[in-house]
Amino acid sequence: MAAALSWWVAGLVFDHHLPVFAPIATLVALNTPVGGRGTNAVRVVSGVIVGHIAYEFLGHGAPAIGTAVLAALLAALVLGGERITMAQAAVGAVISVAAGQQAGIVRVEDALLGAGVALTFSQLLFPAHPVSLLARAQTRTLRALGEVLELAARTLRAENERIDRVWDDMHPLYSLLDNFTGTRENTSAVATLTRRRRRNTEAVQREIASARHLNLLGNSCLSLIRSAMTLDERRRAAFAPAVGALAQVVRLLSDEPRDDEVRRRAADATLHILRNFPDTATPQATAVWQNVRMAVRDVVAFAAAEPDPPGAHAP
């Protein structure tokens, strides 16, 4: 709908016969997670502009294409673009050079209008809800983390269990944690730029603080699983109850990660884990128990997360 609107408005406002750059700019700008759509719009517009400038000075041909692509990639890089958005800016530059005299300044006008439509949709008509956005991401991450912990606990209990299955299930979790970090950063941007932040500042900042602790919790749990799997079978089984109890706590949090009562119950449950420590007679077992303690601390920190003080900056 946004692309169709861009085409229609460009034809209405500028009387352009084929305003192809307007819907292209709209689609590219909106083809990114919330929080990055504004800068994505700037990237695609910058690609079209540098392509137009390259054509004006160098005409068609390889030198113009190479110069336009390089300039578009550098502009997108300065604006913090990922590979896909950098490529989109470069494609806009290539098309702009290829269009040449057939489009002239028209393509720049279309791109600006398309970016404006995208921003209207993302910032005014359908603005992001920072708290809901981050809460959904927290739920997905906690559920995946709980499943991996449960699998690890079963593997630690069983003799001759295939450990490689745990490694296979851990790989997607690494990607999910990376994506969660990106969601947290995008949410910070949304909270800064949208009007909703002014209405619900404390809730937004609390979720951002919780998200940082959840990143730490995910990494400490992964470290715990890796270290526990290196033990011999007898000592692996001794740590299965602690890992299983931690899995239950994480699954509890995944149901209602924002509920204060759920967080309190989760924090209380993790403290019971530390009262039943297994044999740590070897350095390897001692290291695993330290990882258990670290994961417990991260659960408690997540449960007790408070909003950042004014002026605090989320990393």
Side-chain angles (χ1 to χ4, degrees), residues 23 29 54 83 98 107 114 139 191 206 209 225 229 253 264 271 301:
R83 288 187 178 183
R107 57 182 171 262
T139 297
R206 178 179 179 178
I225 294 170
M229 292 299 170
L253 284 170
R264 186 191 63 77
L271 296 179

Side-chain angles (χ1 to χ4, degrees), residues 245-246 249 264-277 289 293 296-297 299-300:
L246 190 60
V249 169
R264 186 191 63 77
R265 287 165 50 200
D268 291 343
T270 55
L271 296 179
H272 288 289
I273 298 174
L274 300 181
R275 297 171 186 167
N276 300 301
F277 57 89
W289 183 243
R293 293 171 60 86
V296 167
R297 286 196 298 267
V299 169
V300 174

Side-chain angles (χ1 to χ4, degrees), residues 58-75:
L58 301 174
H60 291 295
I65 293 290
T67 302
V69 168
L70 178 61
L73 290 174
L74 289 175

Side-chain angles (χ1 to χ4, degrees), residues 230-278:
T230 63
L231 299 174
D232 59 66
E233 288 186 0
R234 182 178 66 84
R235 288 196 169 86
R236 281 208 305 265
F239 281 95
V243 176
L246 190 60
Q248 292 179 1
V249 169
V250 171
R251 293 299 293 269
L252 171 65
L253 284 170
S254 70
D255 292 334
E256 292 290 344
R258 295 176 56 202
D259 187 270
D260 289 336
E261 177 61 20
V262 170
R263 290 187 179 211
R264 186 191 63 77
R265 287 165 50 200
D268 291 343
T270 55
L271 296 179
H272 288 289
I273 298 174
L274 300 181
R275 297 171 186 167
N276 300 301
F277 57 89

Side-chain angles (χ1 to χ4, degrees), residues 123-142:
Q123 302 297 325
L124 298 178
L125 299 180
F126 304 102
H129 299 256
V131 174
S132 299
L133 175 69
L134 200 48
R136 289 194 298 269
Q138 287 179 356
T139 297
R140 288 194 300 270
T141 304
L142 285 166

Side-chain angles (χ1 to χ4, degrees), residues 79-167:
L79 292 170
E82 298 180 358
R83 288 187 178 183
I84 182 64
T85 53
M86 292 172 65
Q88 289 166 342
V91 168
V94 171
I95 296 175
S96 188
V97 172
Q101 200 61 42
Q102 299 175 12
I105 197 64
V106 167
R107 57 182 171 262
V108 178
E109 294 174 346
D110 287 344
L112 289 171
L113 187 143
V117 170
L119 291 175
T120 300
F121 269 75
S122 63
Q123 302 297 325
L124 298 178
L125 299 180
F126 304 102
H129 299 256
V131 174
S132 299
L133 175 69
L134 200 48
R136 289 194 298 269
Q138 287 179 356
T139 297
R140 288 194 300 270
T141 304
L142 285 166
R143 284 177 179 168
L145 182 58
E147 290 171 0
V148 173
L149 284 168
E150 287 178 353
L151 174 61
R154 291 196 302 269
T155 304
L156 292 171
R157 292 190 193 99
E159 295 182 4
N160 302 318
E161 185 71 19
R162 286 183 53 201
I163 294 179
D164 56 343
R165 184 185 170 191
V166 178
W167 304 141

